[in-house]
Protein backbone atom coordinates (compact mmCIF):
# COMPACT_ATOMS: atom_id res chain seq x y z
CA UNK A 1 0.00 0.00 0.00
CA UNK A 2 2.81 2.43 0.90
CA UNK A 3 4.51 1.70 -2.43
CA UNK A 4 1.30 2.39 -4.28
CA UNK A 5 0.83 5.72 -2.53
CA UNK A 6 4.45 6.70 -3.19
CA UNK A 7 4.17 5.72 -6.85
CA UNK A 8 1.17 8.02 -7.21
CA UNK A 9 2.24 10.93 -5.00
CA UNK A 10 5.99 11.12 -5.73
CA UNK A 11 5.62 11.97 -9.44
CA UNK A 12 3.37 14.90 -8.54
CA UNK A 13 6.25 16.43 -6.56
CA UNK A 14 9.05 15.54 -8.96
CA UNK A 15 7.35 16.50 -12.25
CA UNK A 16 7.38 20.29 -11.69
CA UNK A 17 11.14 20.22 -11.03
CA UNK A 18 11.79 18.10 -14.10
CA UNK A 19 9.71 20.54 -16.19
CA UNK A 20 11.60 23.52 -14.75
CA UNK A 21 14.94 21.91 -15.62
CA UNK A 22 13.76 21.24 -19.18
CA UNK A 23 12.36 24.75 -19.57
CA UNK A 24 15.57 26.31 -18.23
CA UNK A 25 17.68 24.20 -20.57
CA UNK A 26 15.49 25.29 -23.50
CA UNK A 27 15.89 28.94 -22.51
CA UNK A 28 19.67 28.64 -22.25
CA UNK A 29 19.90 26.74 -25.54
CA UNK A 30 17.78 29.34 -27.34
CA UNK A 31 20.03 32.19 -26.25
CA UNK A 32 23.17 30.17 -27.04
CA UNK A 33 21.78 29.38 -30.51
CA UNK A 34 21.12 33.07 -31.10
CA UNK A 35 24.73 33.99 -30.28
CA UNK A 36 26.11 31.11 -32.36
CA UNK A 37 23.98 32.24 -35.31
CA UNK A 38 25.02 35.85 -34.92
CA UNK A 39 28.72 34.98 -34.68
CA UNK A 40 28.32 33.45 -38.17
CA UNK A 41 26.12 36.06 -39.87
CA UNK A 42 27.11 39.15 -37.84
CA UNK A 43 23.69 40.71 -38.16
CA UNK A 44 23.34 41.94 -34.56
CA UNK A 45 19.91 43.33 -33.84
CA UNK A 46 18.52 41.63 -36.97
CA UNK A 47 19.48 38.30 -35.39
CA UNK A 48 17.65 39.36 -32.24
CA UNK A 49 14.57 40.06 -34.35
CA UNK A 50 14.72 36.50 -35.73
CA UNK A 51 14.66 35.01 -32.19
CA UNK A 52 12.19 37.55 -30.74
CA UNK A 53 8.64 37.01 -29.55
CA UNK A 54 5.81 39.17 -30.96
CA UNK A 55 6.11 42.26 -28.71
CA UNK A 56 9.89 42.54 -28.99
CA UNK A 57 9.79 41.88 -32.73
CA UNK A 58 7.12 44.57 -33.14
CA UNK A 59 9.31 47.06 -31.24
CA UNK A 60 12.34 46.23 -33.40
CA UNK A 61 10.25 46.67 -36.56
CA UNK A 62 8.94 50.00 -35.19
CA UNK A 63 12.55 51.10 -34.70
CA UNK A 64 13.39 50.17 -38.31
CA UNK A 65 10.33 52.01 -39.64
CA UNK A 66 11.16 55.12 -37.64
CA UNK A 67 14.70 55.16 -38.98
CA UNK A 68 13.45 54.77 -42.55
CA UNK A 69 10.77 57.44 -42.13
CA UNK A 70 12.78 60.01 -40.14
CA UNK A 71 16.28 59.30 -41.43
CA UNK A 72 17.70 59.15 -37.93
CA UNK A 73 18.39 56.51 -35.31
CA UNK A 74 16.12 55.91 -32.37
CA UNK A 75 16.14 53.18 -29.76
CA UNK A 76 19.17 50.94 -30.00
CA UNK A 77 22.33 52.79 -30.98
CA UNK A 78 24.49 49.69 -30.61
CA UNK A 79 24.47 45.92 -31.05
CA UNK A 80 22.51 44.87 -27.98
CA UNK A 81 23.56 41.22 -28.22
CA UNK A 82 27.25 42.02 -27.93
CA UNK A 83 26.80 45.24 -25.91
CA UNK A 84 29.05 47.09 -28.32
CA UNK A 85 29.30 49.28 -31.41
CA UNK A 86 32.17 47.08 -32.57
CA UNK A 87 31.35 43.50 -31.49
CA UNK A 88 34.03 40.94 -30.70
CA UNK A 89 32.41 37.83 -32.15
CA UNK A 90 35.10 35.66 -30.60
CA UNK A 91 34.53 36.95 -27.08
CA UNK A 92 34.15 34.38 -24.33
CA UNK A 93 30.48 34.15 -23.38
CA UNK A 94 29.19 32.90 -20.04
CA UNK A 95 25.54 31.88 -19.79
CA UNK A 96 23.59 31.55 -16.56
CA UNK A 97 20.06 31.76 -15.20
CA UNK A 98 19.03 34.57 -12.88
CA UNK A 99 16.82 33.89 -9.85
CA UNK A 100 13.82 35.29 -11.80
CA UNK A 101 14.38 32.87 -14.70
CA UNK A 102 16.06 35.20 -17.18
CA UNK A 103 19.12 34.14 -19.14
CA UNK A 104 22.16 36.26 -18.34
CA UNK A 105 24.97 36.49 -20.86
CA UNK A 106 28.29 37.84 -19.66
CA UNK A 107 30.45 39.22 -22.46
CA UNK A 108 33.78 40.27 -21.03
CA UNK A 109 32.97 43.01 -18.51
CA UNK A 110 29.48 43.59 -19.93
CA UNK A 111 26.32 41.57 -19.41
CA UNK A 112 22.80 41.46 -20.78
CA UNK A 113 19.69 39.60 -19.59
CA UNK A 114 17.04 37.96 -21.75
CA UNK A 115 13.46 37.18 -20.76
CA UNK A 116 12.60 33.99 -22.61
CA UNK A 117 9.19 32.29 -22.92
CA UNK A 118 8.86 28.69 -24.02
CA UNK A 119 5.90 26.82 -25.42
CA UNK A 120 6.49 23.15 -26.06
CA UNK A 121 10.02 22.81 -27.43
CA UNK A 122 10.16 26.32 -28.86
CA UNK A 123 11.33 29.45 -27.07
CA UNK A 124 11.25 33.13 -28.03
CA UNK A 125 12.96 36.10 -26.46
CA UNK A 126 10.27 38.33 -25.01
CA UNK A 127 12.51 41.18 -23.86
CA UNK A 128 16.12 42.22 -23.39
CA UNK A 129 17.34 44.00 -20.30
CA UNK A 130 20.31 46.28 -20.80
CA UNK A 131 19.88 49.35 -18.62
CA UNK A 132 16.15 48.56 -18.51
CA UNK A 133 13.69 46.97 -20.89
CA UNK A 134 14.74 47.29 -24.53
CA UNK A 135 11.13 46.85 -25.69
CA UNK A 136 9.92 49.68 -23.46
CA UNK A 137 12.80 51.97 -24.45
CA UNK A 138 12.19 51.47 -28.19
CA UNK A 139 8.45 51.98 -27.83
CA UNK A 140 9.04 55.25 -25.95
CA UNK A 141 11.76 56.66 -28.22
CA UNK A 142 10.56 55.54 -31.65
CA UNK A 143 7.13 57.14 -32.08
Amino acid sequence: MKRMILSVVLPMFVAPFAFADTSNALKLNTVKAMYQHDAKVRAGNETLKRFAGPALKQALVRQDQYQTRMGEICGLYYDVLWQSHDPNYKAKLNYSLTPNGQVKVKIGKESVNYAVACSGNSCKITDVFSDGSVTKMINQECR
Side-chain angles (χ1 to χ4, degrees), residues 1 12 37 81 86 94 122-123 139:
M1 181 68 154
M12 292 186 326
H37 176 78
L81 271 73
D86 187 22
N94 292 307
S122 175
C123 298
N139 287 335

Side-chain angles (χ1 to χ4, degrees), residues 85-134:
H85 291 283
D86 187 22
N88 175 4
Y89 297 103
K90 294 180 182 182
K92 184 178 189 303
L93 305 174
N94 292 307
Y95 303 90
S96 61
L97 286 170
T98 66
N100 64 352
Q102 293 180 352
V103 176
K104 181 177 186 171
V105 180
K106 187 149 176 50
I107 311 149
K109 294 179 183 177
E110 302 294 326
S111 66
V112 59
N113 288 9
Y114 296 92
V116 183
C118 301
S119 177
N121 287 331
S122 175
C123 298
K124 294 289 184 183
I125 295 170
T126 58
D127 206 351
V128 182
F129 295 90
S130 171
D131 294 326
S133 164
V134 166

Side-chain angles (χ1 to χ4, degrees), residues 33-50:
M34 178 176 67
Y35 276 90
Q36 289 168 352
H37 176 78
D38 197 57
K40 290 178 188 171
V41 301
R42 299 180 179 199
N45 297 332
E46 286 300 312
T47 295
L48 176 60
K49 194 184 301 178
R50 177 180 173 174

